Amino acid sequence: MDEQRIADETAATMRAGDRAARSAGVEVTEVGPGRAVATMTVAEEHANGHGVCHGGYLFLLADSAMAYASNSHGISALATGADIAFLQPARTGDVLHAEAVERSLAGRSGLYDVTVRTGDGTVVAEFRGRTRQVPGLRPVSGEQGQGPLHHSRGGARNAGRSAGSGSS
């Protein structure tokens, strides 16, 4: 199976069960091997007491992009940590784009950078996240229950991996 097809199928499975992102208005618009783009329009309910987008929503947007990028290989991955730098405020009505790029995938550990920009290209936040692949863990596929998400890529990269649940 080719890498793009795996990324597309994995993203479709994840979208079906991703209630948190959906309820915040996050939409994943692009996915590919080791990368993803998520968008969100800053709504009134996203505003904090200063009238700008709450940092928690910016983190959710960036974390969502990382989730799709890190799972794009067809092996379940979970965040193990992340840092975010808030650089500019985002305002109500801004359309935000979070682009996640895989920087390293060594064994089961991944490192991802996510840049959050407004529609005019202004950088709002920079996010760096860490993930751990957990072979055998499957995302919930909507109301249907467990969805498929474990494609073996073979080769040295998967040597020694089992289909059972892993430990972090």
Side-chain angles (χ1 to χ4, degrees):
M1 189 179 283
D2 77 33
E3 291 181 344
Q4 184 61 49
R5 184 171 167 201
I6 291 169
D8 290 339
E9 288 181 4
T10 300
T13 299
M14 290 177 65
R15 273 186 199 106
D18 194 350
R19 293 183 206 141
R22 191 170 41 251
S23 70
V26 173
E27 181 182 344
V28 176
T29 58
E30 296 177 39
V31 66
R35 60 173 300 280
V37 176
T39 63
M40 178 184 83
T41 300
V42 180
E44 289 292 327
E45 59 267 19
H46 298 139
N48 65 16
H50 297 288
V52 298
C53 186
H54 189 286
Y57 286 104
L58 294 173
F59 191 98
L60 172 68
L61 174 64
D63 185 59
S64 295
M66 180 182 75
Y68 283 81
S70 66
N71 282 275
S72 66
H73 301 295
I75 300 170
S76 295
L78 299 172
T80 59
D83 300 294
I84 191 166
F86 302 113
L87 303 173
Q88 294 289 325
R91 306 200 183 283
T92 302
D94 283 347
V95 178
L96 304 178
H97 304 272
E99 182 175 2
V101 178
E102 185 176 85
R103 296 296 180 204
S104 176
L105 184 58
R108 293 191 293 154
S109 297
L111 182 66
Y112 295 83
D113 286 333
V114 184
T115 301
V116 180
R117 291 182 173 89
T118 60
D120 68 4
T122 301
V123 176
V124 173
E126 291 286 351
F127 173 104
R128 174 159 271 195
R130 297 163 303 282
T131 64
R132 182 82 171 166
Q133 290 181 337
V134 185
L137 178 68
R138 295 184 174 169
V140 174
S141 178
E143 303 302 319
Q144 309 292 315
Q146 298 293 318
L149 183 65
H150 187 77
H151 301 281
S152 176
R153 290 178 295 166
R157 205 171 198 181
N158 281 336
R161 292 188 185 162
S162 71
S165 62
S167 61
S168 297

